Amino acid sequence: MEEANQSVVSEFILRGLCNSTEIQNFLLLPFSTLYLMTVLGNLLVVLLIITDSHLHSPMYFLLANLSFVDFCLSSVTTPKLITDFLKKNKTISFGGCMSQILCVHFFGGGEMVLLVSMAYDRYVAICKPLHYSSIMDRQKCIWLVLIPWMSGYAHAISQLAMILDLPFCGSRIVDSFFCDIPLVIKLACVDTQTLRMLINADSAIFATTCFILLLISYTYILLTVRLHSKDGASKALSTCTSHITVVVLFFGPCIFTYLWPPSITWVDKFLAVFYTVITPLLNPAIYTLRNKEIKNAIKRWISQHMYSRGNF
């Protein structure tokens, strides 16, 4: 009984981004600002697409879901990171740690598949423009959103199920600002080499499949674009460039984090900050700055808001 109790861990200790109190105090304002911008930026995109009838199309329906996923992904880790800047002892309960792992893989995995859905939408729009309306009907759009959510959930559950019953009886220090499987699994007091191989294989297959589908889609799109008129190709290429930029920004850090073994601590932390804090902020910025319809929707919203205030 005493031996069993030793394997039960009620909480973990997060080491955070750094040990220096001065640096943590300095980082408090920048990270709070980044998170506020992420929340406002992504929610603005979602609200614009919902309220503006000019944006009621499959592409923007998928974009609204991407912004919502980015908002959720950032909210899993960033608020905890910000509040921990003010704490000396950064602890997280066992349940909270497992919940972070579940949510990060749920939203992260869902975003990977959602990016594939968006690539499929662009493929149909550019390669089969005359059949776009019939192919991308309401039912197809719903499935293109449901499949990412279901895939993300299945991926997250499969990852969590493999580590949930591990015995933790040694160190409780997680050398990061949130719980992540490669770091948490190192704290188990049993041999986890085989388990780590299974987890890496699961993540690798999931991420690689999505990445290959994206490569095929955008390669086919770019080849098709070359055959179109200069004006049409330019507009299509501009839209695809935004999508490809988001894909590279999201998959790049994930590939280094999960497909390569962790080596240099500060590099791992930087990559973790990039895909949980920076990327969710960059996505709405990229689509807003490069998309005329979104910029026009913002102008319409501002003009309507100013007009209503003037009448009042």
Side-chain angles (χ1 to χ4, degrees):
M1 183 71 176
E2 184 180 349
E3 207 172 296
N5 287 336
Q6 289 178 356
S7 66
V8 177
V9 171
S10 60
E11 64 179 18
F12 292 98
I13 300 170
L14 299 175
R15 191 164 274 171
L17 288 180
C18 61
N19 297 322
S20 171
T21 304
E22 291 76 13
I23 295 177
Q24 292 185 68
N25 292 335
F26 173 77
L27 293 175
L28 177 62
L29 181 58
F31 274 87
S32 299
T33 304
L34 286 173
Y35 180 63
L36 180 62
M37 292 171 63
T38 300
V39 171
L40 294 177
N42 283 293
L43 292 184
L44 174 63
V45 171
V46 173
L47 289 174
L48 279 174
I49 293 171
I50 291 174
T51 58
D52 195 312
S53 59
H54 297 85
L55 302 179
H56 289 178
S57 66
M59 183 179 80
Y60 294 109
F61 176 62
L62 295 171
L63 177 56
N65 279 273
L66 177 66
S67 289
F68 180 71
V69 171
D70 279 329
F71 161 72
C72 294
L73 179 61
S74 179
S75 297
V76 172
T77 59
T78 312
K80 173 67 175 170
L81 169 63
I82 292 170
T83 56
D84 279 349
F85 281 141
L86 302 172
K87 298 178 183 177
K88 185 176 181 180
N89 297 318
K90 305 171 179 61
T91 60
I92 184 171
S93 66
F94 180 84
C97 184
M98 295 300 112
S99 296
Q100 275 195 338
I101 290 173
L102 178 69
C103 291
V104 166
H105 284 269
F106 175 41
F107 295 120
E111 181 160 343
M112 288 183 185
V113 184
L114 185 57
L115 290 171
V116 176
S117 295
M118 296 177 74
Y120 174 76
D121 171 72
R122 289 301 85 204
Y123 160 76
V124 176
I126 295 170
C127 301
K128 300 183 178 181
L130 299 178
H131 301 92
Y132 181 76
S133 298
S134 60
I135 295 175
M136 294 298 294
D137 56 16
R138 184 182 181 84
Q139 186 177 7
K140 178 66 71 64
C141 289
I142 292 173
W143 275 110
L144 286 176
V145 169
L146 284 179
I147 290 174
W149 285 105
M150 291 188 293
S151 301
Y153 180 74
H155 171 65
I157 288 295
S158 68
Q159 293 277 296
L160 185 64
M162 287 189 276
I163 69 165
L164 193 58
D165 293 328
L166 283 177
F168 297 97
C169 53
S171 172
R172 297 180 296 131
I173 300 175
V174 178
D175 194 8
S176 185
F177 60 93
F178 74 101
C179 288
D180 204 1
I181 287 181
L183 299 174
V184 172
I185 201 173
K186 288 165 57 177
L187 306 181
C189 52
V190 293
D191 183 13
T192 58
Q193 184 175 357
T194 303
L195 185 59
R196 271 184 281 186
M197 290 175 61
L198 287 173
I199 290 173
N200 287 338
D202 182 43
S203 295
I205 291 171
F206 187 84
T208 304
T209 301
C210 292
F211 194 62
I212 289 173
L213 290 173
L214 287 165
L215 284 178
I216 294 172
S217 298
Y218 286 117
T219 299
Y220 200 93
I221 289 170
L222 294 175
L223 289 174
T224 304
V225 162
R226 294 185 61 185
L227 304 176
H228 282 64
S229 64
K230 188 174 181 181
D231 293 337
S234 177
K235 183 178 179 181
L237 190 60
S238 176
T239 302
C240 286
T241 301
S242 299
H243 286 225
I244 293 170
T245 302
V246 169
V247 168
V248 171
L249 288 174
F250 185 78
F251 274 87
C254 289
I255 289 172
F256 277 96
T257 300
Y258 290 101
L259 301 188
W260 270 269
S263 52
I264 306 174
T265 302
W266 71 266
V267 173
D268 298 328
K269 289 183 180 181
F270 172 78
L271 292 174
V273 168
F274 196 87
Y275 74 79
T276 61
V277 181
I278 306 299
T279 302
L281 172 63
L282 291 178
N283 284 356
I286 290 168
Y287 283 112
T288 301
L289 295 175
R290 296 187 61 88
N291 191 294
K292 289 183 179 179
E293 285 80 4
I294 292 287
K295 288 190 283 188
N296 290 335
I298 294 174
K299 291 176 183 177
R300 284 192 295 269
W301 183 86
I302 292 174
S303 61
Q304 289 173 4
H305 183 69
M306 295 296 291
Y307 178 75
S308 61
R309 287 191 63 181
N311 282 347
F312 179 79

